């Protein structure tokens, strides 16, 4: 029987992670989940992927780090045996690596990778997690691209958790959800569970928009993937990051090694008491 989670310890641990992660770039649909929801989501992920090898296909929120850190700090007594983050933002990749090194989290790692490129030939994972661009302007095709890479990570057999917009009062989230479910079914997966309207985000222009957890599981007869991974076809990239925003960037590079727990010098200046001000 799993012990009850100490909420204060969990929030404090997630706060450590939030201090470490880079700030979001809205041009690439990077929008951070609120901290309370991150605590809840990390416990959900840890429970779902307990004892398994978990691939994150992108992770600006740093749910991967939270999940690993809560287990390392013994806030949770369950979780994945291995977590690898695949992200095109070098700031994210390096922040994961630095945090894992600092906290001695041996089962957490990250790799620079763009979903437009063939998925790297790596050890098979048991499950994948993705919170991709939500595809409001392309009927969810952005989501499907990330889902396809997740399916490749698990070689066609296993489970996936897809974080996707969920709203009863708008049309586009319903269209996206339907298209993603159809796409997953064509790949030999069925929707095994759905947790609706679960998360909120630091989204200034749409603070009420929520997302759900959509769980997919491979069908028993699904064959293991044996064909090589291929680049994403150009026709799938229209409005990838929003209306008239196709992907043009291979990687976001880290300009310098920042300390994410402190404000950079470029962000502030001081006025001295003796009047000798810049």
């Amino acid at each position: 029987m799993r012990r009850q989670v100490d909420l204060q310890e969990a929030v404090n641990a997630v706060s450590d992670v939030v201090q470490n992660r880079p700030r979001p770039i809205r041009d690439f649909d990077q929008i951070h989940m609120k901290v309370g929801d991150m605590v809840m989501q990390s416990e959900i992920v840890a429970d779902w992927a307990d004892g398994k090898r978990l691939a994150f296909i992108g992770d600006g929120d740093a749910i991967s780090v939270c999940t690993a850190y809560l287990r390392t700090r013994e806030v949770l007594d369950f979780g994945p045996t291995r977590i690898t983050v695949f992200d095109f933002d070098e700031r994210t990749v390096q922040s994961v690596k630095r945090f894992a090194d600092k906290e001695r989290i041996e089962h957490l790692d990250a790799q620079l990778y763009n979903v437009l490129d063939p998925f790297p030939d790596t050890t098979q994972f048991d499950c994948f997690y993705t919170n991709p661009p939500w595809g409001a302007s392309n009927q969810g095709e952005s989501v499907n691209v990330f889902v396809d890479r997740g399916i490749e990570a698990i070689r066609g057999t296993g489970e996936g958790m897809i974080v996707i917009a969920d709203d009863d009062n708008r049309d586009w989230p319903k269209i996206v959800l339907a298209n993603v479910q159809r796409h997953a079914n064509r790949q030999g997966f069925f929707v095994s569970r759905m947790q609706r309207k679960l998360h909120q985000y630091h989204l200034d222009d749409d603070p009420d928009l929520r997302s759900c957890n959509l769980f997919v599981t491979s069908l028993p007869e699904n064959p293991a993937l044996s064909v090589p991974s291929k680049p994403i076809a150009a026709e799938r990239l229209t409005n990838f990051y929003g209306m008239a925003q196709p992907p043009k960037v291979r990687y976001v590079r880290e300009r310098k090694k920042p300390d994410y727990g402190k404000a950079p010098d470029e962000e502030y200046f001081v006025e001295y008491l003796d009047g000798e001000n810049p």
Side-chain angles (χ1 to χ4, degrees), residues 86-245:
F86 297 88
D87 202 292
F88 86 130
D89 189 337
E90 190 177 34
R91 302 174 310 147
T92 295
V93 171
Q94 293 304 320
S95 69
V96 170
K97 287 179 172 289
R98 282 192 292 267
F99 196 88
D101 180 65
K102 176 176 177 289
E103 300 297 336
R104 302 293 188 265
I105 309 175
E106 296 182 357
H107 65 293
L108 174 65
D109 198 9
Q111 181 174 335
L112 191 65
Y113 167 70
N114 190 314
V115 294
L116 306 186
D117 297 326
F119 194 76
D121 185 12
T122 183
T123 303
Q124 181 177 349
F125 294 88
D126 303 303
C127 47
F128 73 88
Y129 175 103
T130 189
N131 187 347
W134 287 347
S137 301
N138 62 7
Q139 293 76 53
E141 191 60 25
S142 303
V143 181
N144 291 337
V145 168
F146 279 76
V147 169
D148 284 349
R149 294 316 191 197
I151 291 173
E152 289 180 339
I154 62 175
R155 307 283 173 86
T157 57
E159 298 177 276
M161 185 190 299
I162 306 159
V163 181
I164 191 170
D166 186 14
D167 191 300
D168 288 334
N169 299 316
R170 315 170 205 226
D171 290 339
W172 72 263
K174 301 172 187 176
I175 294 169
V176 170
L177 272 166
N179 286 338
V180 170
Q181 292 179 54
R182 277 193 290 265
H183 182 78
N185 187 251
R186 288 194 294 268
Q187 309 306 313
F189 284 71
F190 68 96
V191 175
S192 52
R193 187 164 39 129
M194 187 175 177
Q195 296 173 320
R196 297 205 61 195
K197 302 179 201 171
L198 212 57
H199 325 105
Q200 288 184 287
Y201 295 81
H202 295 284
L203 188 56
D204 292 341
D205 57 350
D206 203 349
D208 296 326
L209 183 61
R210 293 175 179 261
S211 63
C212 66
N213 288 329
L214 182 70
F215 297 84
V216 296
T217 302
S218 60
L219 292 167
E221 67 272 16
N222 237 29
L225 292 180
S226 57
V227 297
S229 180
K230 297 180 180 179
I232 298 298
E235 59 266 22
R236 301 184 68 185
L237 305 181
T238 303
N239 302 328
F240 196 80
Y241 290 120
M243 187 61 67
Q245 294 187 60

Side-chain angles (χ1 to χ4, degrees), residues 2 42-54 66-72 76-83 107 127:
R2 290 170 178 169
S42 300
E43 184 179 2
I44 291 171
V45 172
D47 179 62
W48 167 69
D50 184 33
K52 298 177 181 179
R53 298 164 296 179
L54 173 59
C66 293
T67 302
Y69 189 45
L70 287 170
R71 178 69 183 272
T72 299
L76 301 178
D77 57 359
F78 51 90
T81 57
R82 176 186 175 193
I83 298 175
H107 65 293
C127 47

